[in-house]
């Protein structure tokens, strides 16, 4: 397929769980895939997995908190693949061993730190959205936590950040109506199987207990992401292992 005809999906925060499931899902639809994550250590395996499925892919190293490296990665992706047609934003937790403080125990500094996951999303959209609008097509998908829609006091500042990211996606969805560009949210409540957080939790049953009933299949969420992007009939979808309030 020519560079002009090929579409490219960029997976920000590529990991073994949902990130790779999203990569494979869009790859099955003919998209080339660009993977972006903090460490290059697993990139070769990720690319090989996609290549084995017949997906053209490449990996790029950048931490979303390093704006210069992230912008450089997007530039390299454009140089390699041409346009960026879909941006999936789903970076994981930086330190899995640090538990958040409850909402009743946080201060402004905690809230600001939690919000550091939202600012790169806005930055990345600023890098890719003008081209999408100019072409009249494209997609932005944001993966966020269930605390955006359901009170979860134990998550503290993370709940604030989740709500902010969700609102950003919803507001973009409204602003982009009729322009050919879709923006939507994946609201996720539960441990995503095969992901790093899932592996971390199940490796410490003495600390976290039995999590068998609180896991989610990343392939099912990736299918939901594809459905949101293609049907464009709603701004978000929720995937939860927990009972939601009525």
């Amino acid at each position: 397929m020519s560079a002009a005809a090929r579409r490219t999906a960029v997976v920000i925060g590529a990991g073994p769980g949902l990130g790779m499931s999203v990569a494979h899902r869009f790859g099955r639809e003919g998209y080339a895939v660009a993977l972006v994550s903090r460490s290059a250590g697993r990139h070769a395996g990720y690319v090989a997995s996609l290549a084995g499925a017949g997906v053209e892919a490449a990996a790029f190293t950048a931490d979303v908190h390093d704006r210069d490296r992230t912008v450089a990665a997007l530039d390299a992706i454009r140089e390699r693949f041409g346009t960026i047609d879909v941006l999936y934003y789903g970076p994981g937790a930086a330190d899995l061993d640090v538990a958040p403080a409850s909402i009743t125990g946080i201060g402004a500094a905690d809230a600001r730190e939690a919000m550091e996951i939202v600012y790169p999303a806005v930055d990345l959209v600023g890098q890719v959205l003008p081209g999408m609008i100019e072409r009249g097509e494209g997609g932005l998908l944001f993966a966020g936590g269930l605390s955006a829609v359901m009170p979860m006091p134990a998550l503290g500042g993370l709940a604030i950040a989740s709500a902010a990211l969700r609102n950003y996606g919803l507001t973009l969805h409204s602003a982009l109506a009729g322009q050919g560009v879709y923006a939507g949210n994946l609201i996720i409540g539960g441990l995503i199987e095969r992901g790093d957080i899932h592996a971390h939790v199940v490796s410490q049953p003495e600390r976290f207990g039995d999590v068998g009933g609180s896991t989610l299949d990343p392939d099912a969420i990736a299918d939901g992401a594809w459905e949101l992007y293609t049907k464009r009939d709603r701004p978000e979808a929720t995937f939860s292992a927990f009972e939601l309030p009525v």
Side-chain angles (χ1 to χ4, degrees):
M1 184 181 295
S2 70
R6 175 182 56 203
R7 289 185 171 87
T8 302
V10 176
V11 176
I12 303 291
L18 183 54
M20 282 302 291
S21 287
V22 169
H24 276 281
R25 186 66 183 87
F26 278 80
R28 286 204 307 273
E29 303 297 335
Y31 282 72
V33 175
L35 306 169
V36 180
S37 68
R38 289 186 295 261
S39 172
R42 295 183 289 189
H43 284 175
Y46 293 163
V47 172
S49 172
L50 289 162
V55 179
E56 182 181 2
F60 305 81
T61 305
D63 186 324
V64 293
H65 301 298
D66 185 335
R67 184 182 186 280
D68 291 342
R69 286 288 299 274
T70 305
V71 170
L74 293 179
D75 288 342
I77 291 167
R78 292 189 188 94
E79 184 175 351
R80 168 70 183 269
F81 293 109
T83 61
I84 293 174
D85 302 282
V86 174
L87 180 78
Y88 163 82
Y89 183 77
D95 190 342
L96 299 179
D97 287 313
V98 177
S102 172
I103 196 70
T104 58
I106 67 169
D110 301 296
R112 282 192 292 269
E113 182 178 358
M115 285 290 293
E116 290 294 330
I117 202 64
V118 180
Y119 306 139
V122 180
D123 233 354
L124 285 161
V125 169
Q127 294 292 317
V128 303
L129 183 57
M132 293 179 180
I133 292 175
E134 182 179 353
R135 295 188 300 274
E137 61 179 6
L140 306 164
L141 295 166
F142 305 96
L146 187 64
S147 59
V149 298
M150 176 179 174
M152 302 180 78
L155 294 184
L158 296 179
I160 298 172
S162 292
L165 183 63
R166 176 189 182 232
N167 185 268
Y168 180 54
L170 290 175
T171 308
L172 280 173
H173 180 87
S174 179
L176 295 169
Q179 299 186 62
V181 182
Y182 175 81
N185 297 310
L186 308 173
I187 306 299
I188 301 167
L191 292 171
I192 299 174
E193 295 166 7
R194 302 195 299 271
D196 289 330
I197 296 176
H198 178 265
H200 179 76
V201 170
V202 299
S203 71
Q204 302 180 64
E206 71 287 351
R207 178 181 175 188
F208 297 105
D210 181 9
V211 298
S214 60
T215 64
L216 297 169
D217 179 359
D219 293 338
I221 301 174
D223 284 340
W226 176 255
E227 183 175 306
L228 276 180
Y229 174 62
T230 53
K231 287 189 174 181
R232 304 186 174 206
D233 57 353
R234 60 197 194 282
E236 64 186 17
T238 300
F239 308 86
S240 180
F242 309 105
E243 184 175 351
L244 300 176
V246 178

Coordinates of all heavy atoms in Angstrom, one line a residue, residues 40-84:
A40 N 12.5 1.1 25.5 CA 12.6 0.3 24.3 C 12.8 -1.2 24.5 O 12.9 -2.0 23.6 CB 13.8 0.8 23.5
G41 N 12.9 -1.6 25.8 CA 13.3 -3.0 26.1 C 12.4 -4.0 25.5 O 12.8 -5.1 25.2
R42 N 11.1 -3.7 25.4 CA 10.1 -4.7 24.9 C 9.7 -4.4 23.4 O 8.9 -5.2 22.9 CB 8.9 -4.8 25.8 CG 9.3 -5.3 27.2 CD 8.1 -5.5 28.1 NE 7.5 -4.2 28.5 CZ 6.6 -4.1 29.4 NH1 6.1 -5.2 30.0 NH2 6.1 -2.9 29.8
H43 N 10.3 -3.4 22.8 CA 9.8 -3.0 21.5 C 10.0 -4.1 20.5 O 9.1 -4.3 19.6 CB 10.5 -1.7 21.1 CG 10.0 -0.5 21.8 ND1 10.5 0.8 21.6 CD2 8.9 -0.3 22.6 CE1 9.8 1.6 22.3 NE2 8.9 1.0 23.0
A44 N 11.1 -4.7 20.5 CA 11.4 -5.8 19.4 C 10.3 -6.8 19.5 O 9.8 -7.3 18.4 CB 12.8 -6.4 19.6
G45 N 9.9 -7.3 20.7 CA 8.9 -8.3 20.8 C 7.5 -7.8 20.3 O 6.8 -8.5 19.7
Y46 N 7.2 -6.6 20.6 CA 5.9 -6.0 20.2 C 5.9 -5.9 18.7 O 4.9 -6.3 18.1 CB 5.8 -4.6 20.8 CG 5.6 -4.4 22.3 CD1 5.8 -3.2 22.9 CD2 5.3 -5.5 23.0 CE1 5.7 -3.0 24.2 CE2 5.1 -5.4 24.4 CZ 5.3 -4.1 25.0 OH 5.2 -4.0 26.4
V47 N 6.9 -5.4 18.1 CA 6.9 -5.3 16.6 C 6.9 -6.6 16.0 O 6.2 -6.8 14.9 CB 8.2 -4.5 16.2 CG1 8.3 -4.5 14.6 CG2 8.1 -3.0 16.7
A48 N 7.6 -7.6 16.5 CA 7.6 -9.0 16.0 C 6.2 -9.6 16.1 O 5.7 -10.3 15.1 CB 8.6 -9.8 16.7
S49 N 5.5 -9.3 17.2 CA 4.1 -9.8 17.3 C 3.2 -9.3 16.3 O 2.4 -10.0 15.7 CB 3.6 -9.5 18.7 OG 2.3 -9.8 18.9
L50 N 3.3 -8.0 16.0 CA 2.5 -7.4 15.0 C 2.9 -7.8 13.6 O 2.0 -8.1 12.8 CB 2.6 -5.9 15.1 CG 1.9 -5.3 16.3 CD1 2.4 -3.9 16.6 CD2 0.4 -5.2 16.1
A51 N 4.2 -8.0 13.4 CA 4.6 -8.4 12.0 C 4.1 -9.9 11.8 O 3.7 -10.2 10.7 CB 6.1 -8.4 12.0
G52 N 4.1 -10.7 12.8 CA 3.6 -12.0 12.7 C 2.1 -12.1 12.3 O 1.6 -13.1 11.8
A53 N 1.4 -11.0 12.6 CA 0.0 -10.9 12.3 C -0.2 -10.1 11.0 O -1.3 -9.8 10.6 CB -0.8 -10.2 13.4
G54 N 0.9 -9.8 10.3 CA 0.8 -9.1 9.0 C 0.6 -7.6 9.1 O 0.2 -7.0 8.2
V55 N 1.0 -7.1 10.3 CA 0.8 -5.6 10.5 C 2.2 -4.9 10.4 O 3.1 -5.3 11.0 CB 0.2 -5.4 11.9 CG1 0.0 -3.9 12.1 CG2 -1.1 -6.1 12.1
E56 N 2.2 -3.9 9.6 CA 3.4 -3.1 9.5 C 3.5 -2.2 10.7 O 2.5 -1.5 11.1 CB 3.4 -2.2 8.3 CG 4.6 -1.3 8.1 CD 4.6 -0.4 6.9 OE1 3.5 -0.4 6.2 OE2 5.6 0.3 6.7
A57 N 4.6 -2.3 11.4 CA 4.7 -1.6 12.7 C 6.1 -1.1 12.9 O 7.1 -1.7 12.4 CB 4.3 -2.5 13.8
A58 N 6.3 -0.1 13.8 CA 7.6 0.4 14.3 C 7.4 0.9 15.7 O 6.2 1.3 16.0 CB 8.1 1.4 13.3
A59 N 8.4 1.0 16.4 CA 8.3 1.4 17.8 C 9.3 2.6 18.1 O 10.4 2.7 17.5 CB 8.7 0.3 18.8
F60 N 8.8 3.5 18.9 CA 9.6 4.7 19.2 C 9.6 4.9 20.7 O 8.6 4.7 21.4 CB 8.9 5.9 18.5 CG 8.8 5.7 17.0 CD1 7.7 5.0 16.5 CD2 9.7 6.2 16.2 CE1 7.5 4.8 15.2 CE2 9.5 6.1 14.8 CZ 8.5 5.3 14.3
T61 N 10.7 5.4 21.2 CA 10.9 5.6 22.7 C 10.7 7.0 23.1 O 11.4 7.9 22.6 CB 12.3 5.1 23.1 OG1 12.5 3.8 22.7 CG2 12.4 5.2 24.6
A62 N 9.7 7.2 24.0 CA 9.5 8.6 24.5 C 8.6 8.5 25.7 O 7.7 7.7 25.8 CB 8.9 9.5 23.5
D63 N 8.9 9.3 26.7 CA 8.1 9.4 27.9 C 7.1 10.6 27.7 O 7.6 11.7 27.3 CB 8.9 9.7 29.1 CG 8.2 9.7 30.4 OD1 7.0 10.1 30.4 OD2 8.7 9.2 31.4
V64 N 5.8 10.4 27.9 CA 4.9 11.5 27.6 C 5.2 12.8 28.4 O 4.8 13.9 28.0 CB 3.4 11.1 27.8 CG1 3.0 10.0 26.8 CG2 3.2 10.6 29.2
H65 N 5.9 12.6 29.5 CA 6.2 13.8 30.3 C 7.4 14.6 29.8 O 7.7 15.7 30.3 CB 6.5 13.3 31.8 CG 5.4 12.6 32.4 ND1 4.1 13.2 32.6 CD2 5.2 11.3 32.8 CE1 3.3 12.4 33.2 NE2 3.9 11.2 33.3
D66 N 8.0 14.0 28.8 CA 9.2 14.7 28.1 C 8.6 15.2 26.8 O 8.6 14.5 25.8 CB 10.3 13.7 27.9 CG 11.6 14.4 27.3 OD1 11.4 15.4 26.7 OD2 12.7 13.9 27.6
R67 N 8.2 16.5 26.7 CA 7.5 17.0 25.6 C 8.4 17.0 24.3 O 8.0 16.6 23.2 CB 7.1 18.4 25.8 CG 6.3 19.0 24.6 CD 5.9 20.4 24.9 NE 5.0 20.9 23.8 CZ 5.4 21.3 22.6 NH1 6.7 21.3 22.3 NH2 4.5 21.7 21.7
D68 N 9.7 17.3 24.5 CA 10.6 17.4 23.3 C 10.8 16.0 22.7 O 10.7 15.8 21.5 CB 12.0 17.9 23.7 CG 11.9 19.4 24.0 OD1 10.9 20.1 23.7 OD2 12.8 19.9 24.7
R69 N 10.9 15.0 23.6 CA 11.1 13.6 23.1 C 9.8 13.1 22.4 O 9.9 12.4 21.4 CB 11.5 12.6 24.2 CG 12.9 12.8 24.7 CD 13.9 12.2 23.7 NE 13.7 10.8 23.4 CZ 14.3 9.8 24.2 NH1 15.0 10.1 25.2 NH2 14.1 8.6 23.8
T70 N 8.7 13.5 23.0 CA 7.4 13.0 22.4 C 7.1 13.7 21.1 O 6.7 13.0 20.1 CB 6.3 13.3 23.4 OG1 6.5 12.8 24.7 CG2 5.0 12.8 22.9
V71 N 7.4 15.0 21.0 CA 7.2 15.6 19.7 C 8.2 15.1 18.6 O 7.8 14.9 17.5 CB 7.5 17.2 19.8 CG1 7.5 17.9 18.5 CG2 6.3 17.8 20.7
A72 N 9.4 14.8 19.1 CA 10.4 14.2 18.1 C 9.9 12.8 17.7 O 10.1 12.4 16.5 CB 11.7 14.0 18.8
A73 N 9.3 12.0 18.6 CA 8.7 10.7 18.2 C 7.6 10.9 17.2 O 7.6 10.1 16.2 CB 8.2 10.0 19.4
L74 N 6.7 11.8 17.4 CA 5.7 12.1 16.4 C 6.3 12.5 15.0 O 5.8 12.0 14.0 CB 4.7 13.1 16.9 CG 3.9 12.8 18.1 CD1 3.0 13.9 18.5 CD2 3.0 11.5 17.8
D75 N 7.3 13.3 15.0 CA 7.9 13.7 13.8 C 8.5 12.5 13.1 O 8.4 12.3 11.9 CB 9.0 14.7 14.1 CG 8.5 16.1 14.5 OD1 7.3 16.4 14.2 OD2 9.3 16.9 15.0
A76 N 9.2 11.6 13.9 CA 9.7 10.4 13.3 C 8.7 9.5 12.7 O 8.9 8.8 11.7 CB 10.6 9.7 14.4
I77 N 7.5 9.4 13.4 CA 6.4 8.6 12.9 C 5.9 9.1 11.6 O 5.7 8.4 10.6 CB 5.3 8.5 14.0 CG1 5.7 7.7 15.2 CG2 4.0 7.9 13.4 CD1 4.8 7.9 16.4
R78 N 5.7 10.4 11.5 CA 5.3 11.0 10.2 C 6.3 10.8 9.1 O 5.9 10.5 8.0 CB 5.1 12.5 10.4 CG 3.9 12.9 11.3 CD 3.6 14.4 11.2 NE 2.7 14.9 12.2 CZ 2.9 15.3 13.4 NH1 4.2 15.4 13.8 NH2 2.0 15.7 14.2
E79 N 7.6 10.9 9.5 CA 8.6 10.6 8.4 C 8.6 9.2 8.0 O 8.8 8.9 6.8 CB 10.0 10.9 9.0 CG 11.1 10.8 8.0 CD 12.5 11.2 8.6 OE1 12.5 11.8 9.7 OE2 13.5 10.9 7.9
R80 N 8.3 8.3 8.9 CA 8.3 6.8 8.5 C 7.0 6.4 7.8 O 7.0 5.7 6.8 CB 8.4 6.0 9.8 CG 8.1 4.5 9.7 CD 9.2 3.8 8.9 NE 8.8 2.4 8.7 CZ 9.2 1.4 9.6 NH1 9.9 1.7 10.6 NH2 8.8 0.2 9.3
F81 N 5.8 6.9 8.3 CA 4.6 6.4 7.8 C 3.7 7.4 7.0 O 2.8 7.1 6.4 CB 3.7 5.9 9.0 CG 4.2 4.7 9.7 CD1 4.8 4.8 11.0 CD2 4.2 3.5 9.1 CE1 5.3 3.7 11.6 CE2 4.7 2.3 9.7 CZ 5.3 2.4 11.0
G82 N 4.1 8.7 7.2 CA 3.2 9.7 6.5 C 2.3 10.4 7.6 O 2.8 10.9 8.6
T83 N 1.0 10.3 7.3 CA 0.1 10.9 8.2 C -0.2 10.1 9.5 O 0.1 8.9 9.5 CB -1.3 11.1 7.5 OG1 -1.8 9.8 7.2 CG2 -1.2 12.0 6.3
I84 N -0.6 10.8 10.5 CA -1.1 10.2 11.8 C -2.6 10.3 11.7 O -3.2 11.4 11.8 CB -0.5 10.8 13.0 CG1 1.0 10.6 13.1 CG2 -1.2 10.3 14.3 CD1 1.7 11.3 14.2

